[in-house]
Amino acid sequence: MDQQPAIVGKLLGWLDQAGQVALGWAKSPAAWSQFGLLVVAFVAAVLITRRLQPLLQRLITPAEGREGLIATIRQYALLFLPLLLPLIAYGLTAAGEQVTRSIFGSGAVIAFGKRVFLFIAARIFVREVLTDGFLRLLGRYVLVPVAALYALGVLDDITTRLDETVVALGNIRFSVMALIRGVIAGSLLFWLGAWSNRQSAGYIKAQPALRPATRELAAKAAEVLIFGAAFLLLMSIMGIDLTAVAVLGGALGVGIGLGLQQIAANFVSGIILLIEGQTTVGDYVQLDGGEKGTIVKMTARACVLETFDGRWIVVPNEHFITSRVINYSDQGSANRYEALFSVSYDTDINRVPPIIEAAVAQLPFVLQAPDGPDCELKGFGESAVDFAVEYWVNGIDDGKNKYASPVLFAIWNALKSEGIEMPYPQRVVEIKRRAPGAGA
């Protein structure tokens, strides 16, 4: 027992001290008076809460169907109503403490009761107010234990002990308390950063006056600013000299120069794409390799293309800068397409253009502006006369919008109804027979 650890001895000392304090309270008339005041404060808090809570609930609850910032704030305020009882009890106990100290010259018991009410408030806050899973986990294993230690009056001793315990990481030395404070603060800061980033991104992307590229750029800039500020604030809380961050930045620059050129190039290319706005989310593009798809997402490293058959193609941003990219769309502008067909040489080809133009013009998706359907003679083939009809549509023939097939059906039906033949390839075969006895 003589070789027991120091922490065990410290705990035994705290328990012995607590036992002596409890024994002293049991023998003191002033302590019993303070216990009585605690009971009175609690009963008064219960009575006040029963009358006040329904009134506050009616005042705070927004009208049915009401939306907006004020309604949202009032909905959040309703979550804090369960804290009303312990907080009123805490306030009454704090007032009673002043009276007790003025009469008896001490208020240790009522001060302990006040801290207990605060502990109860912390438990209710974690169990009934917090709805986010991460915050509830943090409250359960950080806030509630801290409130319990504060209620027992040993929080200052423990924090002092943790401050005196130092951990060395190379040339950097931290106290255990600084590490714990950094973990807790970092968790809260980056949760708050993630929440702020979601809110700001949702607000920015909901602004119809901004172009899609501008919205993406603003959302990325807000994300960098939020998490950058959270990181710098965490460094300040942990007491780390920001010159170490400068050294880290220099090391990162060397790493980029040696092995992260492609990542840096893609990142810079992504910023250029967002600033210029020539290619943005929703555009239908064709890459230099022949791949086609709609841009559904733009990140700091790459763009994601979705083909008409549902496949995703991840294309590094650098390809949009250094290679040729065909952009078929610009926020739903009109596009021109061409349909090829042929007719027989026996046809009066002067009749073909008006027949085809009238048939294609009747299709509901074919535009008359900037130009209506235009049927042109393309050439004279081996077996047929080749034509093409050009037409404009407000969209892209990307597989989802199949414009070419209805146009070809219209051409076929129009030619058939006019008795115009669409020939298949024909060949004339001449067979030469040798005269009898020739070559004998």
Side-chain angles (χ1 to χ4, degrees):
M1 295 294 292
D2 295 337
Q3 302 297 325
Q4 62 184 2
I7 186 64
V8 176
K10 192 73 172 178
L11 289 174
L12 292 176
W14 284 336
L15 291 176
D16 182 63
Q17 182 181 358
Q20 292 178 6
V21 170
L23 184 61
W25 286 353
K27 297 179 179 180
S28 171
W32 282 104
S33 301
Q34 294 177 49
F35 277 121
L37 285 175
L38 286 176
V39 173
V40 170
F42 180 75
V43 172
V46 171
L47 296 176
I48 294 173
T49 302
R50 286 179 179 178
R51 290 184 173 273
L52 188 60
Q53 188 167 358
L55 177 62
L56 290 176
Q57 190 163 5
R58 287 195 302 270
L59 292 175
I60 297 175
T61 302
E64 186 176 356
R66 184 70 60 86
E67 296 180 356
L69 179 60
I70 301 300
T72 303
I73 294 175
R74 294 172 71 176
Q75 288 286 356
Y76 276 111
L78 285 174
L79 298 176
F80 290 87
L81 285 181
L83 294 175
L84 195 60
L85 174 61
L87 291 181
I88 292 176
Y90 177 84
L92 294 175
T93 306
E97 181 183 5
Q98 300 299 323
V99 175
T100 303
R101 290 188 184 277
S102 63
I103 296 176
F104 298 104
S106 67
V109 175
I110 201 166
F112 172 74
K114 183 178 68 173
R115 296 194 300 268
V116 169
F117 286 135
L118 197 61
F119 168 73
I120 294 173
R123 281 180 55 87
I124 294 176
F125 178 73
V126 173
R127 295 173 58 183
E128 300 186 27
V129 177
L130 294 181
T131 56
D132 183 82
F134 173 76
L135 290 182
R136 181 172 289 181
L137 183 68
L138 198 64
R140 182 180 303 167
Y141 293 104
V142 176
L143 179 61
V144 172
V146 168
L149 294 176
Y150 175 72
L152 295 174
V154 297
L155 182 61
D156 291 338
D157 293 337
I158 292 178
T159 53
T160 302
R161 181 73 176 179
L162 293 176
D163 269 328
E164 294 173 352
T165 306
V166 177
V167 176
L169 300 175
N171 294 328
I172 304 177
R173 298 171 63 84
F174 293 101
S175 68
V176 175
M177 190 64 203
L179 288 176
I180 295 174
R181 189 186 302 117
V183 171
I184 297 173
S187 301
L188 285 173
L189 284 174
F190 282 96
W191 177 87
L192 183 61
W195 180 83
S196 303
N197 181 53
R198 289 194 300 270
Q199 298 298 317
S200 61
Y203 176 77
I204 292 170
K205 292 181 180 180
Q207 303 303 311
L210 299 178
R211 298 176 64 250
T214 306
R215 291 198 293 264
E216 291 289 336
L217 180 60
K220 294 298 179 185
E223 181 178 3
V224 172
L225 289 175
I226 289 171
F227 284 103
F231 177 75
L232 293 178
L233 185 58
L234 178 61
M235 295 297 102
S236 177
I237 291 173
M238 294 187 64
I240 298 177
D241 190 357
L242 293 181
T243 56
V245 179
V247 174
L248 179 62
L252 183 60
V254 174
I256 291 175
L258 295 177
L260 303 178
Q261 298 97 330
Q262 292 300 320
I263 295 177
N266 287 322
F267 180 76
V268 175
S269 299
I271 295 176
I272 294 173
L273 289 175
L274 292 173
I275 292 176
E276 291 184 347
Q278 295 180 354
T279 303
T280 186
V281 175
D283 286 354
Y284 186 81
V285 298
Q286 178 179 351
L287 304 179
D288 206 16
E291 300 90 349
K292 294 181 180 180
T294 303
I295 300 177
V296 296
K297 187 177 182 181
M298 298 180 70
T299 66
R301 187 189 67 85
C303 292
V304 179
L305 272 64
E306 183 179 11
T307 63
F308 73 91
D309 54 359
R311 298 177 182 176
W312 280 22
I313 304 174
V314 180
V315 183
N317 291 328
E318 185 183 9
H319 289 195
F320 287 88
I321 302 297
T322 59
S323 61
R324 184 180 63 177
V325 178
I326 301 175
N327 192 340
Y328 286 96
S329 60
D330 184 12
Q331 302 303 313
S333 61
N335 293 276
R336 189 183 69 173
Y337 291 96
E338 183 181 69
L340 304 175
F341 64 96
S342 302
V343 299
S344 170
Y345 272 104
D346 296 333
T347 305
D348 181 4
I349 60 174
N350 297 300
R351 297 173 52 209
V352 173
I355 293 173
I356 299 303
E357 289 173 1
V360 174
Q362 293 178 1
L363 296 174
F365 55 81
V366 175
L367 304 178
Q368 298 302 317
D371 193 11
D374 181 23
C375 185
E376 299 178 352
L377 177 64
K378 286 295 185 179
F380 301 98
E382 295 181 358
S383 304
V385 182
D386 298 326
F387 282 88
V389 60
E390 298 173 349
Y391 58 95
W392 288 81
V393 295
N394 191 19
I396 307 167
D397 194 348
D398 58 355
K400 297 178 181 178
N401 303 313
K402 299 182 182 298
Y403 300 123
S405 179
V407 170
L408 293 175
F409 269 108
I411 293 172
W412 174 274
N413 294 330
L415 294 178
K416 286 298 181 180
S417 64
E418 295 293 330
I420 298 175
E421 180 184 359
M422 299 180 67
Y424 49 85
Q426 301 178 16
R427 296 290 184 271
V428 177
V429 179
E430 182 180 352
I431 300 176
K432 295 184 178 181
R433 296 189 178 185
R434 300 171 61 183

